[in-house]
Amino acid sequence: MRALAVGDDALLVEVASGEEAQALHAELLRRRADGALTVREIVPAARTVLLDGLAEPARWAAELTGTRVLEAPAHARELIELPVRYDGPDLAAVAAHWRVPEREVARVHAGTEFTVAFCGFVPGFGYLTGLPERYHVPRRATPRTAVPAGAVALAGPYTGVYPRSSPGGWQLIGTTDTVLWDPARVPAALWEPGTRVRFVPVEGA
């Protein structure tokens, strides 16, 4: 683990894996809730956690680099279920990569409980982990100029859902009508890091 100063009151903590980033994020949230850590924002990413608005960053840099990151605890948040039609244009390509029938892609994906590891790209987009390594897939060789809102997609170890139409190179396996980002809603985003997610096949999947 390595802690890098960012300005006067922030630290960027680098770890070795996404699992360690999720575990560190959960531990820092626990410390803040217990009053042991004073920080404005705790922002996880693929292999880093940013602490912004941090009191005594030098002390925390020394303490965190000596911390052993354990497995993230089970999240108590209510499970979010997203209805999905497994009708994506890349479903056949993903099935071929997995060496299974197309219906098996839907069965495996819907049978997995995902966790939002971190958010980014566009408002409301979450990087969901949970699929075993054998089901990881590469991005498309040629990205699409426009992916429709609600597209359920795979890339590397992640599942994602496009909150709005945007360019993208992920493999599209399905569609959901769930609104992921609504500025009139509080909170605007459907999920946040640590949220548990399951995809539920609907008629026409």
Side-chain angles (χ1 to χ4, degrees):
M1 186 185 301
R2 186 169 68 147
L4 306 173
V6 180
D8 295 330
D9 63 352
L11 285 178
L12 184 68
V13 183
E14 297 179 342
V15 292
S17 67
E19 291 76 15
E20 287 191 14
Q22 290 179 56
L24 178 61
H25 177 243
E27 171 63 15
L28 293 172
L29 288 177
R30 184 192 66 77
R31 294 192 189 190
R32 182 170 67 176
D34 290 346
L37 173 64
T38 301
V39 63
R40 184 170 57 249
E41 289 190 80
I42 305 172
V43 184
R47 291 182 178 85
T48 63
V49 179
L50 175 69
L51 293 89
D52 188 31
L54 178 66
E56 301 180 282
R59 179 177 75 82
W60 280 104
E63 181 168 336
L64 290 173
T65 52
T67 298
R68 181 176 172 225
V69 180
L70 302 175
E71 184 178 349
H75 205 289
R77 180 181 301 278
E78 181 181 357
L79 177 71
I80 289 178
E81 294 187 340
L82 260 66
V84 58
R85 298 178 296 279
Y86 286 96
D87 57 2
D90 298 320
L91 188 63
V94 170
H97 187 80
W98 288 5
R99 298 183 180 179
V100 299
E102 290 184 25
R103 64 181 180 276
E104 183 70 1
V105 174
R107 188 194 69 78
V108 169
H109 192 259
T112 301
E113 182 175 299
F114 294 89
T115 301
V116 180
F118 57 99
C119 299
F121 173 53
V122 295
F125 189 91
Y127 291 78
L128 281 59
T129 58
L131 283 174
E133 186 173 357
R134 66 160 296 208
Y135 297 121
H136 297 179
V137 297
R139 288 171 169 78
R140 288 172 50 86
T142 304
R144 292 179 170 90
T145 57
V147 174
V152 179
L154 306 178
Y158 302 114
T159 287
V161 183
Y162 285 77
R164 65 187 186 198
S165 178
S166 63
W170 290 31
Q171 308 279 357
L172 308 184
I173 63 168
T175 310
T176 182
D177 296 326
T178 302
V179 176
L180 300 189
W181 177 262
D182 181 358
R185 183 172 60 197
V186 179
L190 180 66
W191 47 39
E192 63 181 5
T195 301
R196 298 159 51 225
V197 181
R198 275 194 180 275
F199 294 89
V200 180
V202 297
E203 186 177 349

